[in-house]
Amino acid sequence: APTDHAGVLAVRSAVGALPPRQRAAIVCRYFGGMNVADTATALNTKPGTVKALTSQGIDSLRRAGLIDEEPANV
């Protein structure tokens, strides 16, 4: 399937605009395929913080019109 370059750029821009900790959580979880525990270790934080940061980041991406529903958990 052809790559949707405009879509890729829109996602990259929106993820890049997230606050650093939200961006790191989103990248680890959904682009890096890491689970909550591994993400918490990588970010030197608690699993609950990872969940909150991920939720906040997803909400921002949803408001930007990039996603319609919660991504599947990794």
Side-chain angles (χ1 to χ4, degrees):
T3 302
D4 175 10
H5 293 288
V8 169
L9 292 176
V11 168
R12 183 178 289 174
S13 176
V15 171
L18 293 173
R21 288 173 44 91
Q22 286 180 22
R23 181 174 56 246
I26 294 291
V27 168
C28 287
R29 297 278 290 125
Y30 298 107
F31 294 94
M34 297 170 71
N35 63 30
V36 172
D38 291 341
T39 301
T41 299
L43 300 181
N44 194 31
T45 194
K46 297 177 184 176
T49 302
V50 170
K51 291 177 184 180
L53 290 168
T54 302
S55 177
Q56 294 161 2
I58 293 296
D59 286 345
S60 293
L61 296 175
R62 187 177 290 118
R63 283 193 305 274
L66 294 174
I67 56 175
D68 295 327
E69 57 188 58
E70 188 79 16
N73 284 335
V74 176

